[in-house]
Amino acid sequence: MASTNQQQRIILITGANKGIGFEVVKKLIEQPSSNSKDIILLGSRDIKRGEDALKQLGSPPNVHLLQLDTSSKESIAAAANEIKQKYGGHLDVIINNAGIVPRDNTIQAARETQVTNYYGVKMLNEHLIPLLREQGRVVNVASSIGPMALHCFSKDLQEKYTSETLTKEQLDLLVEEFLSTYESNNVEKIGYRPDLPYLVYGVSKVALIALTRIEARQYSGAQNIFIYSVCPGYCATDLNNKAAGARPAALGADSILYVVDTPNHELENGGFYLDGKKEPQICMDEAKVQFFIQTSKKHLESK
Ligand SMILES: NC(=O)c1ccc[n+]([C@@H]2O[C@H](COP(=O)([O-])OP(=O)(O)OC[C@H]3O[C@@H](n4cnc5c(N)ncnc54)[C@H](OP(=O)(O)O)[C@@H]3O)[C@@H](O)[C@H]2O)c1
């Protein structure tokens, strides 16, 4: 068993073998204060890709590979077991970073995206939040595309996704209704906007931001656990084929680490953050949404 003590934070980052998650690990080991203190669990669904990432980091003694496919219940249960056996069964921070964009417009790809970006996070949190110590926190990596997408949906959908009384069961139902109308090609019938760029990905992040608020209500109180969602900003990674003009993934990591390192009393439990600022659940900036739509359409046409 890796030796741990009370001061050491045990931090799990999913999908950390590349992209923004990898940069988060890199920054955590570079932080002078946490260099030898934090135990970092580098989550990777593929062992070989995880080992390569570890090597790239110079195999620091406080970084350990944890095989974890966040869309698989069995893999999450095995990871929970490994945390119990090797790390004393404790975690202090969970960073749900793993995420995908749909590979095409099929219903299979749409479902896979919801399974990874929404259902996977929900399932992982249900299994691993019980391992969090007092004052532990969870960071769900969402995207500003979520609030911009929600801006474009019907008032009814906006009210449902932002309701203070929304439950996980109702949220699952919203996602399922989206998927079934997506399959039958009539999402507009229930208030979605079919021509919105990155619609499926956007809905997955709308759902994740809503889930974060539900979880924050669920786990505050007695358990004293804090849950945030965060956007890393538009970063050049494999997710967007290293888009020209996007910022370095290291800046995305900074946006995530802000909610990892800022004292909980300075943050709003359940809030959505970007670059250290709290952002609304529905984007109110019409010009920003129009800019997103126009530039995304151009980007998609050029592919
Ligand atoms: N890049 C951006 O501009 C941007 C903007 C806003 C939000 N985000 C969010 O930031 C997060 C990281 O994205 P990124 O840009 O760093 O993308 P990336 O470079 O494509 O990395 C994604 C990571 O997630 C992993 N992953 C995917 N599905 C997984 C699963 N089922 N189980 C475990 N790991 C899985 C990938 O593993 P493999 O290597 O095995 O595929 C990879 O390590 C995502 O949640 C994304 O939605 C990104």
Side-chain angles (χ1 to χ4, degrees):
M1 186 188 288
S3 71
T4 64
N5 62 46
Q6 281 304 309
Q7 280 81 50
Q8 276 179 314
R9 295 185 298 181
I10 307 181
I11 304 178
L12 165 65
I13 303 113
T14 68
N17 55 289
K18 68 174 183 180
I20 298 165
F22 178 79
E23 291 298 326
V24 169
V25 177
K26 213 163 145 192
K27 296 228 169 204
L28 280 170
I29 54 183
E30 282 164 2
Q31 274 178 12
S33 61
S34 67
N35 200 6
S36 57
K37 278 201 246 149
D38 292 334
I39 290 193
I40 298 156
L41 306 184
L42 183 157
S44 175
R45 61 177 157 181
D46 181 274
I47 294 232
K48 170 80 173 66
R49 289 198 283 272
E51 284 171 351
D52 288 348
L54 262 186
K55 261 188 224 146
Q56 232 181 300
L57 293 164
S59 305
N62 59 327
V63 183
H64 305 273
L65 175 59
L66 184 69
Q67 185 179 23
L68 180 49
D69 178 343
T70 59
S71 64
S72 154
K73 196 174 176 179
E74 292 70 32
S75 177
I76 293 171
N81 235 354
E82 195 169 333
I83 293 167
K84 282 178 195 149
Q85 281 168 11
K86 292 192 183 162
Y87 310 104
H90 300 302
L91 287 172
D92 296 283
V93 182
I94 299 169
I95 304 176
N96 284 302
N97 164 77
I100 56 169
V101 288
R103 61 193 136 72
D104 53 36
N105 292 332
T106 60
I107 179 64
Q108 289 79 7
R111 191 163 280 284
E112 199 179 287
T113 303
Q114 303 304 332
V115 162
T116 301
N117 296 1
Y118 166 64
Y119 288 112
V121 176
K122 186 174 92 131
M123 185 161 64
L124 184 142
N125 286 346
E126 279 165 3
H127 279 76
L128 298 190
I129 285 179
L131 304 187
L132 283 175
R133 287 191 271 217
E134 181 85 9
Q135 298 274 327
R137 65 179 88 186
V138 178
V139 178
N140 294 332
V141 180
S143 167
S144 297
I145 291 183
M148 289 194 279
L150 197 49
H151 172 100
C152 301
F153 301 159
S154 69
K155 276 265 159 308
D156 178 55
L157 281 179
Q158 289 178 351
E159 279 167 19
K160 284 179 174 157
Y161 277 112
T162 60
S163 165
E164 289 295 332
T165 57
L166 184 68
T167 62
K168 285 186 191 171
E169 292 71 26
Q170 289 166 337
L171 184 53
D172 283 357
L173 213 61
L174 280 169
V175 174
E176 282 310 315
E177 276 167 5
F178 168 73
L179 284 170
S180 64
T181 54
Y182 185 82
E183 188 169 19
S184 56
N185 229 348
N186 59 355
V187 291
E188 70 272 31
K189 214 173 150 193
I190 55 167
Y192 292 95
R193 192 173 144 180
D195 65 329
L196 190 74
Y198 307 109
L199 174 67
V200 168
Y201 178 75
V203 171
S204 74
K205 298 300 189 180
V206 166
L208 184 58
I209 293 168
L211 174 71
T212 305
R213 287 161 53 87
I214 298 171
E215 291 175 334
R217 287 199 303 273
Q218 179 184 357
Y219 293 105
S220 61
Q223 280 131 310
N224 222 356
I225 301 297
F226 297 83
I227 318 215
Y228 309 104
S229 56
V230 65
C231 176
Y234 190 45
C235 301
T237 65
D238 288 349
L239 192 89
N240 48 31
N241 301 316
K242 303 220 162 52
R247 64 189 195 165
L251 284 183
D254 286 338
S255 189
I256 293 173
L257 286 169
Y258 174 81
V259 288
V260 170
D261 289 329
T262 302
N264 284 312
H265 68 264
E266 291 177 26
L267 298 170
E268 184 187 304
N269 196 12
F272 173 55
Y273 287 85
L274 164 65
D275 290 341
K277 284 194 213 79
K278 198 179 156 282
E279 294 280 306
Q281 203 178 350
I282 306 176
C283 177
M284 296 310 204
D285 187 339
E286 179 67 35
K288 191 173 161 187
V289 175
Q290 287 314 321
F291 180 77
F292 158 71
I293 293 175
Q294 296 318 321
T295 48
S296 303
K297 280 188 174 160
K298 271 194 207 137
H299 181 71
L300 290 169
E301 277 160 19
S302 72
K303 278 219 270 185

